[in-house]
């Protein structure tokens, strides 16, 4: 951390609260709507809005010509209405004059195609011309609004890397070479790391190195992995460039940017980025997968731990349908509150939406908002207003950190990126799905688990699940060994421990780095064709993957076998700890009984009464216990300790949330 973590800049002495609001885009509306907006925001209980995210074109209509008058007026109006502002630096989408003058800021895809203007985020993170123009605007914004009393935080750009995570342009190539020189020092080290003896790829000069552009067949895997690491670093570097200008000019205003911890892990290593912002902010949208609510909880949980257990800011989610999924379904009654309060349970001290007033024009006119097209006399606005009241009631929760669980699911961006590269035993493997399956199994058993980045200290956890921990460098190998020898219970899965940080296989039988710790030996991977499944002798069903594995240590117990009698799930016991291995994809239903057994052996129990397990998610923030109804039926809470701060202490509505205060 460059500075100690901070929260919003507020008036001295103001009591802590859960912030509430949305992205606000007043430039899409005539002036007379603005007063009405502020009035309706007060009705809804809005305390903060994110402003000017896509305003560059309005603020700097021509190069060096600024028009801040309208934004001055909006800032003043919001302040007069008691509404704070998370002010964007306005650099998210460059205006047409800039891309017309400097087409070299436009990103290039891996096939060499230009990403043209006409949408948004069409800029290269490594473009010197983009950076020069963007940072000039950041200086203008900081100079003009740094002292404005409405200003609570700076919002750098927007969802960095949402559309421009990968850029294969010449600027990217030049920056990639600089990054590689820093990483490897000598060309010989790069040649060794990239395994360039293979397919005649030896480099004799740095200038020969390119991003992994469209190639005849599989590009070098280490080059691909390094390019992903570089791409994450390039955007982080850009974030830091804006942040440094803001810290120089307005040191008392905290800086954030909205992460996208949702669904599949992106090529942006947020566990690494988190140290660069004053507080973590995240955007989350529910996706219609088989267990959408589990995914929301998983992402909120991970965000809370990326934030180091401290409160974080939910910068965007939706009041109802979005516009960018294949089929955009509205939320059911109760879902708006449950989604919001699940984020709060996992540490969010702010609940915001995209966006305040639904647009009449543009690509997001069918995306829900706090004020829908139907206006304030609508179910959505009534729910929004109720949520505002609920969050006011939950003010005592603000500031409370997450209370760690006794079990954890590890998340490793490197493994997620590397395990899903091409030229592997199967291209069907999905890192995040396996991690989520384990998390669902925890939820089904009613056992709390933290979703934590791999660099988190493990010793506080009795049991750690490390799904598809594919990349295990020597230091991580030693950490995991120390964890198990120190009494920890480690559980890992197929395609773990195979490679080092350069994506080179560890020598000998699989899973190289973890072979001895697990006491197993795998000669060949045997992934399953689509539709094939294997039935284990405990009745569970595996898909996707199997291993040709044997036990290599007398201390290993086989917990489940394949039909031919070969081991499928193993556990090696140590003096106090253990190391278990699951060689196939069991899915949440197959994992739950197995995990239940592993938890029992590790001495970890559910904190919920038996009748609530699986039906309710329990999340704890200090004195506050959140009970989230995962089902569409009411749930009886009688006998659960604590006084209700929200909801009833006796009963949860379908999809409802109860917040109880007091000792467990
Ligand atoms: C992202 C963006 C917003 C908006 C929403 C729509 O989160 O940051 O500007 O486009 O998606 O879901
Ligand atoms: C072809 C090539 C080999 C090798 C194999 C792999 O036969 O000539 O170099 O790549 O495919 O199947």
């Amino acid at each position: 951390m460059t500075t100690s973590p901070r929260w919003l800049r507020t008036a001295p002495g103001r009591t802590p609260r859960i912030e509430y609001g949305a992205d606000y885009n007043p430039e899409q509306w005539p002036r007379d709507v603005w007063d009405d907006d502020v009035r309706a925001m007060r009705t809804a209980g809005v305390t903060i809005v994110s402003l000017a995210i896509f305003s560059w074109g309005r603020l700097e209509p021509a190069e060096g010509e600024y028009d801040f008058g309208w934004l001055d007026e909006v800032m003043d109006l919001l302040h007069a209405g008691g509404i704070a502002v998370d002010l964007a630096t306005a650099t998210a989408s460059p205006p047409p004059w800039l891309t017309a003058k400097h087409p070299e800021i436009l990103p290039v895809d891996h096939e060499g195609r230009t990403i043209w203007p006409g949408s948004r985020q069409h800029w290269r993170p490594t473009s010197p011309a983009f950076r020069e123009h963007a940072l000039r605007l950041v200086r203008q914004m900081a100079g003009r609004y740094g002292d404005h009393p409405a200003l609570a935080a700076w919002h750098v750009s927007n969802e960095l890397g949402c559309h421009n995570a990968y850029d294969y342009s010449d600027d990217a190539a030049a920056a990639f070479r600089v990054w590689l020189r820093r990483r490897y020092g000598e060309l010989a080290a790069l040649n060794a790391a990239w395994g360039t003896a293979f397919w005649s790829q030896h480099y004799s000069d740095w200038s020969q190195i390119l991003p992994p552009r469209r190639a005849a067949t599989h590009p070098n895997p280490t080059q691909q992995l390094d390019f992903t690491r570089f791409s994450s670093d390039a955007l982080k570097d850009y974030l830091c460039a804006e942040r440094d200008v803001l810290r120089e000019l307005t040191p008392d205003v905290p800086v954030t940017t909205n992460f996208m911890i949702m669904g599949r892990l992106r090529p942006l290593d947020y566990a690494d980025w988190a140290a660069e912002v004053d507080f973590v902010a995240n955007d989350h949208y529910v996706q219609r997968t088989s267990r959408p609510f589990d995914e929301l909880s998983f992402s909120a949980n991970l965000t809370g731990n990326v934030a180091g257990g401290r409160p974080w800011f939910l910068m965007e989610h939706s009041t109802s349908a979005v516009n960018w999924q294949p089929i955009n379904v509205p939320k059911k009654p109760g879902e708006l509150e449950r989604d919001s309060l699940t984020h709060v349970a996992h540490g969010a001290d702010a609940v915001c939406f995209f966006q305040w007033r639904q647009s009449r024009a543009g690509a997001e006119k069918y995306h829900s908002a706090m004020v829908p097209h139907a206006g304030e006399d609508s179910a959505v606005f009534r729910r929004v207003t109720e949520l505002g009241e609920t969050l006011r009631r939950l003010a005592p929760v603000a500031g409370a950190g997450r209370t760690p669980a006794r079990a954890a699911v590890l998340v490793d961006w490197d493994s997620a990126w590397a395990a899903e590269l091409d030229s592997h035993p199967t291209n069907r493997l999905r890192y995040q799905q396996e991690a989520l399956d384990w998390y669902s199994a925890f939820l089904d058993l009613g056992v709390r688990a933290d979703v934590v980045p791999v660099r988190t200290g493990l010793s506080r956890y009795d049991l750690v699940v490390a799904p598809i921990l594919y990349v295990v460098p020597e230091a991580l190998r030693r950490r995991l060994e120390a964890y198990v020898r120190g009494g920890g219970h480690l559980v890992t899965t197929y395609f773990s421990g195979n490679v080092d940080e350069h994506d080179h296989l560890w020598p000998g039988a699989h899973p190289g780095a973890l072979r001895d710790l697990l006491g197993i030996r795998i000669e060949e991977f045997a992934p399953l064709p689509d539709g094939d499944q294997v039935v284990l002798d405990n009745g569970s069903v595996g898909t996707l993957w199997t291993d040709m594995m044997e036990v290599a240590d007398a201390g290993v117990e086989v917990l489940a076998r394949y039909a031919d009698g070969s081991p499928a799930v193993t556990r090696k016991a140590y003096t106090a700890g253990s190391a278990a291995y699951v060689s196939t994809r069991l899915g949440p239903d197959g994992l739950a009984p197995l995990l239940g057994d592993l938890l029992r052996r590790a001495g970890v129990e559910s904190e919920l009464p038996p009748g609530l397990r699986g039906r309710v998610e329990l999340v704890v923030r200090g004195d506050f216990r959140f009970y989230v109804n995962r089902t569409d039926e009411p749930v009886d809470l009688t006998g659960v300790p604590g006084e209700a701060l929200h909801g009833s202490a006796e009963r949860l509505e379908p999809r409802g949330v109860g917040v109880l205060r007091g000792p467990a």
Side-chain angles (χ1 to χ4, degrees):
M1 283 270 172
T2 38
T3 57
S4 58
R6 293 189 287 170
W7 190 240
L8 303 177
R9 180 176 74 170
T10 56
R14 210 201 61 198
T15 45
R17 66 186 184 196
I18 309 273
E19 303 291 337
Y20 188 44
D23 285 12
Y24 181 37
N25 297 302
E27 65 268 50
Q28 296 176 15
W29 297 94
R31 172 65 185 82
D32 57 323
V33 176
W34 301 352
D35 297 300
D36 213 39
D37 281 333
V38 175
R39 178 200 51 76
M41 284 177 191
R42 292 176 64 88
T43 306
V46 165
T47 63
I48 191 164
V49 294
S50 296
L51 193 60
I53 292 176
F54 296 107
S55 302
W56 192 344
R58 282 291 301 272
L59 291 172
E60 192 181 1
E63 184 166 5
E65 282 174 27
Y66 297 99
D67 173 12
F68 287 116
W70 68 274
L71 187 56
D72 293 350
E73 206 177 338
V74 177
M75 291 287 286
D76 292 347
L77 268 178
L78 288 164
H79 183 61
I83 292 159
V85 175
D86 166 56
L87 185 58
T89 54
T91 56
S93 200
W97 63 257
L98 179 52
T99 48
K101 183 175 174 201
H102 291 288
E104 76 277 14
I105 75 171
L106 298 172
V108 176
D109 77 2
H110 80 295
E111 302 203 336
R113 296 176 300 200
T114 298
I115 306 301
W116 294 101
S119 179
R120 66 175 177 186
Q121 211 174 57
H122 39 279
W123 52 274
R124 304 176 185 177
T126 57
S127 161
F130 179 76
R131 195 172 283 213
E132 180 196 325
H133 284 84
L135 295 186
R136 201 171 60 208
L137 179 63
V138 175
R139 277 190 182 278
Q140 290 285 333
M141 295 292 284
R144 188 149 189 117
Y145 298 108
D147 293 328
H148 197 286
L151 179 66
W154 289 116
H155 178 116
V156 168
S157 191
N158 190 61
E159 288 192 341
L160 289 161
C162 182
H163 315 293
N164 63 353
Y166 289 114
D167 162 45
Y168 298 81
S169 67
D170 290 342
D171 281 335
F176 187 35
R177 288 178 203 122
V178 171
W179 185 93
L180 290 166
R181 270 177 188 260
R182 220 174 282 144
R183 183 173 176 87
Y184 294 110
E186 302 291 328
L187 204 48
L190 176 136
N191 276 306
W194 285 19
T196 57
F198 184 82
W199 282 354
S200 183
Q201 292 172 354
H202 181 86
Y203 294 98
S204 56
D205 192 276
W206 292 97
S207 64
Q208 298 156 1
I209 299 172
L210 294 168
R213 292 173 178 163
R214 166 113 192 203
T217 182
H218 311 290
N220 181 308
T222 318
Q223 178 188 11
Q224 293 189 63
L225 181 58
D226 271 350
F227 188 67
T228 300
R229 292 168 173 151
F230 154 77
S231 298
S232 178
D233 282 355
L235 280 156
K236 182 180 74 167
D237 190 70
Y238 179 77
L239 159 65
C240 292
E242 283 206 16
R243 180 207 59 195
D244 290 347
V245 170
L246 297 166
R247 283 197 179 152
E248 174 201 326
L249 297 178
T250 60
D252 65 324
V253 184
V255 180
T256 194
T257 190
N258 40 351
F259 294 174
M260 295 170 285
I261 298 178
M262 60 177 123
R264 286 175 75 172
L265 295 188
R266 297 185 178 241
L268 312 158
D269 182 351
Y270 291 127
D272 174 49
W273 290 29
E276 307 298 347
V277 290
D278 290 311
F279 59 87
V280 165
N282 196 49
D283 295 353
H284 186 274
Y285 290 92
V286 176
Q287 309 208 16
R288 299 283 144 193
T289 53
S290 58
R291 288 175 172 241
F293 177 71
D294 290 3
E295 191 286 316
L296 185 155
S297 172
F298 178 96
S299 292
N301 192 324
L302 176 56
T303 306
N305 288 302
V306 160
R310 288 181 295 276
W312 53 278
F313 199 114
L314 179 66
M315 194 63 87
E316 294 179 22
H317 69 318
S318 67
T319 59
S320 194
V322 299
N323 66 311
W324 46 264
Q325 293 179 18
I327 299 172
N328 297 298
V329 179
K331 290 194 177 180
K332 291 186 215 152
E335 284 187 342
L336 170 60
E337 180 188 286
R338 182 181 65 177
D339 292 352
S340 296
L341 296 193
T342 301
H343 288 292
V344 174
H346 286 285
D349 270 2
V351 171
C352 292
F353 295 100
F354 176 84
Q355 62 177 326
W356 165 248
R357 188 180 284 281
Q358 195 166 16
S359 303
R360 287 188 58 206
E364 294 183 322
K365 58 185 174 293
Y366 295 113
H367 192 296
S368 60
M370 291 177 91
V371 182
H373 293 304
E376 291 170 56
D377 183 12
S378 62
V380 166
F381 192 73
R382 279 186 284 277
R383 282 178 202 148
V384 155
T385 305
E386 270 167 37
L387 180 61
E389 278 165 28
T390 299
L391 295 176
R392 263 199 299 271
R393 249 196 325 278
L394 290 178
V397 173
R402 294 172 53 84
T403 303
R406 290 182 61 196
V409 177
L410 280 196
V411 169
D412 178 30
W413 268 264
D414 245 15
S415 288
W417 299 338
E420 293 191 29
L421 286 173
D422 53 343
S423 67
H424 277 189
T426 175
N427 67 5
R428 302 296 203 257
L429 176 149
R430 295 291 175 267
Y431 176 92
Q432 196 262 355
Q433 186 62 56
E434 183 64 32
L436 182 55
D437 286 351
W438 282 92
Y439 188 69
S440 291
F442 275 106
L443 290 173
D444 289 351
L445 293 168
V447 174
R448 284 200 299 131
D450 294 340
V451 183
V452 297
V454 72
R455 65 192 72 184
T456 308
L458 303 181
S459 55
R460 74 148 54 117
Y461 295 110
D462 294 306
L463 182 139
V464 169
V465 179
I468 313 183
L469 189 62
Y470 176 63
V471 179
V472 179
E474 176 59 17
L476 177 56
R477 190 189 69 74
R478 274 199 248 108
R479 273 181 64 209
L480 294 173
E481 209 177 287
Y483 171 68
V484 169
R485 292 195 185 282
H489 297 273
L490 176 71
V491 184
T492 189
T493 72
Y494 59 91
F495 218 42
S496 292
N498 291 320
V499 300
D500 65 13
E501 66 273 34
H502 303 311
D503 196 25
H504 293 202
L505 283 157
W506 283 89
H510 312 303
L514 303 176
R515 187 177 57 226
D516 295 342
L517 186 65
L518 295 164
I520 58 171
R521 192 170 172 278
I522 295 166
E523 287 193 21
E524 285 200 72
F525 304 122
L528 297 174
D530 291 341
D532 278 20
Q533 55 181 47
V534 285
V535 180
L536 274 51
D537 64 356
N538 64 5
S540 57
V541 175
T543 58
L544 182 78
W545 195 280
T546 62
D547 287 318
M548 295 169 73
M549 151 162 87
E550 61 193 24
V551 165
D553 185 302
V556 171
E557 182 186 351
V558 176
L559 301 182
R561 294 182 184 274
Y562 292 111
D564 67 359
S566 63
V569 180
T570 60
R571 180 179 186 271
K572 180 176 171 184
Y574 285 77
T575 319
S578 68
Y581 182 77
V582 183
S583 66
T584 185
R585 178 170 179 224
L586 294 175
D589 295 341
L591 290 176
L594 171 65
L595 180 61
D597 181 34
L598 295 169
L599 286 165
R600 248 187 319 278
R601 291 165 184 245
V604 180
E605 286 167 8
S606 171
E607 299 157 272
L608 286 168
L612 298 190
R613 294 176 195 167
R615 299 166 70 204
V616 168
E617 177 183 0
L618 169 69
V619 196
V620 185
R621 287 183 70 176
D623 281 350
F624 303 95
R625 299 165 77 79
F626 289 71
Y627 294 87
V628 185
N629 187 349
R630 301 172 70 212
T631 76
D632 293 329
E633 310 293 328
V635 172
D636 183 7
L637 280 187
T638 327
V640 161
E643 261 169 60
L645 180 64
H646 168 66
S648 131
E650 275 88 53
R651 178 191 142 101
L652 291 177
E653 296 304 319
R655 301 179 287 276
V657 180
V659 185
L660 274 62
R661 181 184 208 162

Coordinates of all heavy atoms in Angstrom, one line a residue, residues 442-447 606 608-617 628 630-631:
F442 N -20.1 -25.4 -0.5 CA -20.1 -24.8 0.9 C -21.4 -24.2 1.2 O -21.9 -24.4 2.3 CB -19.0 -23.7 0.9 CG -17.6 -24.2 1.2 CD1 -16.6 -24.2 0.2 CD2 -17.2 -24.6 2.5 CE1 -15.3 -24.6 0.4 CE2 -15.9 -25.0 2.7 CZ -15.0 -25.0 1.7
L443 N -22.0 -23.5 0.3 CA -23.3 -22.9 0.6 C -24.4 -23.9 0.8 O -25.2 -23.8 1.7 CB -23.8 -22.0 -0.6 CG -23.0 -20.7 -0.8 CD1 -23.4 -20.0 -2.2 CD2 -23.2 -19.7 0.3
D444 N -24.3 -25.0 0.0 CA -25.3 -26.1 0.2 C -25.2 -26.8 1.6 O -26.1 -27.3 2.1 CB -25.2 -27.2 -0.9 CG -25.6 -26.6 -2.3 OD1 -26.2 -25.5 -2.3 OD2 -25.4 -27.3 -3.3
L445 N -23.9 -26.8 2.1 CA -23.7 -27.4 3.4 C -24.0 -26.4 4.5 O -23.9 -26.8 5.7 CB -22.3 -27.9 3.5 CG -21.9 -29.1 2.6 CD1 -20.4 -29.3 2.6 CD2 -22.6 -30.4 3.0
G446 N -24.2 -25.1 4.2 CA -24.4 -24.1 5.2 C -23.1 -23.8 6.0 O -23.1 -23.4 7.1
V447 N -21.9 -24.0 5.3 CA -20.7 -23.6 5.9 C -20.1 -22.4 5.3 O -20.0 -22.3 4.0 CB -19.7 -24.8 5.8 CG1 -18.3 -24.5 6.3 CG2 -20.2 -26.1 6.5
S606 N -20.9 -26.4 10.4 CA -21.8 -25.3 10.0 C -22.1 -24.5 11.3 O -22.3 -25.0 12.4 CB -23.0 -25.8 9.4 OG -24.0 -24.8 9.2
L608 N -24.9 -22.8 11.3 CA -26.3 -22.6 11.1 C -27.0 -23.8 11.8 O -26.5 -24.9 11.7 CB -26.7 -22.6 9.7 CG -26.4 -21.3 8.9 CD1 -26.6 -21.6 7.4 CD2 -27.3 -20.2 9.4
P609 N -28.3 -23.6 12.3 CA -29.0 -24.8 12.8 C -29.3 -25.7 11.6 O -29.4 -25.2 10.5 CB -30.4 -24.1 13.3 CG -30.1 -22.7 13.3 CD -28.9 -22.3 12.5
P610 N -29.4 -27.0 11.8 CA -29.6 -27.9 10.7 C -30.7 -27.6 9.7 O -30.5 -27.7 8.5 CB -29.9 -29.3 11.4 CG -29.2 -29.1 12.8 CD -29.3 -27.7 13.1
G611 N -31.8 -27.1 10.2 CA -32.9 -26.8 9.3 C -32.6 -25.6 8.3 O -33.3 -25.5 7.3
L612 N -31.6 -24.8 8.6 CA -31.3 -23.7 7.7 C -30.2 -24.0 6.7 O -30.0 -23.2 5.7 CB -30.9 -22.5 8.5 CG -31.9 -21.9 9.5 CD1 -31.5 -20.6 10.1 CD2 -33.3 -21.7 8.8
R613 N -29.5 -25.0 7.0 CA -28.3 -25.3 6.1 C -28.7 -25.6 4.7 O -29.6 -26.4 4.4 CB -27.5 -26.5 6.6 CG -26.9 -26.2 8.0 CD -26.2 -27.4 8.6 NE -26.0 -27.2 10.0 CZ -25.6 -28.0 10.9 NH1 -25.4 -29.3 10.6 NH2 -25.4 -27.7 12.2
G614 N -28.1 -24.9 3.8 CA -28.4 -25.0 2.4 C -29.4 -24.0 1.9 O -29.4 -23.6 0.8
R615 N -30.4 -23.7 2.8 CA -31.5 -22.9 2.4 C -31.1 -21.4 2.6 O -31.7 -20.5 2.0 CB -32.7 -23.2 3.2 CG -33.2 -24.7 2.9 CD -34.2 -25.1 4.0 NE -35.4 -24.4 3.8 CZ -36.3 -24.3 4.8 NH1 -36.1 -24.8 6.0 NH2 -37.5 -23.7 4.5
V616 N -30.2 -21.2 3.5 CA -29.8 -19.8 3.9 C -28.3 -19.7 3.8 O -27.5 -20.6 4.2 CB -30.3 -19.6 5.4 CG1 -29.7 -18.3 6.0 CG2 -31.8 -19.6 5.5
E617 N -27.9 -18.5 3.3 CA -26.4 -18.2 3.4 C -26.2 -17.3 4.6 O -26.9 -16.3 4.8 CB -26.0 -17.4 2.1 CG -24.5 -17.0 2.2 CD -24.0 -16.2 1.1 OE1 -24.7 -15.9 0.1 OE2 -22.8 -15.9 1.2
V628 N -29.3 -14.9 4.4 CA -29.9 -14.6 3.1 C -30.6 -15.9 2.6 O -30.0 -17.0 2.6 CB -28.7 -14.3 2.1 CG1 -29.3 -13.9 0.7 CG2 -27.8 -13.2 2.6
R630 N -31.8 -18.3 0.2 CA -31.4 -18.7 -1.2 C -32.5 -19.3 -2.0 O -32.4 -19.7 -3.1 CB -30.2 -19.8 -1.1 CG -29.0 -19.3 -0.4 CD -28.0 -20.5 -0.2 NE -27.4 -20.9 -1.4 CZ -27.1 -22.2 -1.6 NH1 -27.3 -23.1 -0.7 NH2 -26.5 -22.5 -2.8
T631 N -33.7 -19.5 -1.3 CA -34.8 -20.2 -1.9 C -35.9 -19.3 -2.3 O -36.0 -18.1 -1.9 CB -35.3 -21.3 -1.0 OG1 -36.1 -20.7 0.0 CG2 -34.2 -22.1 -0.4

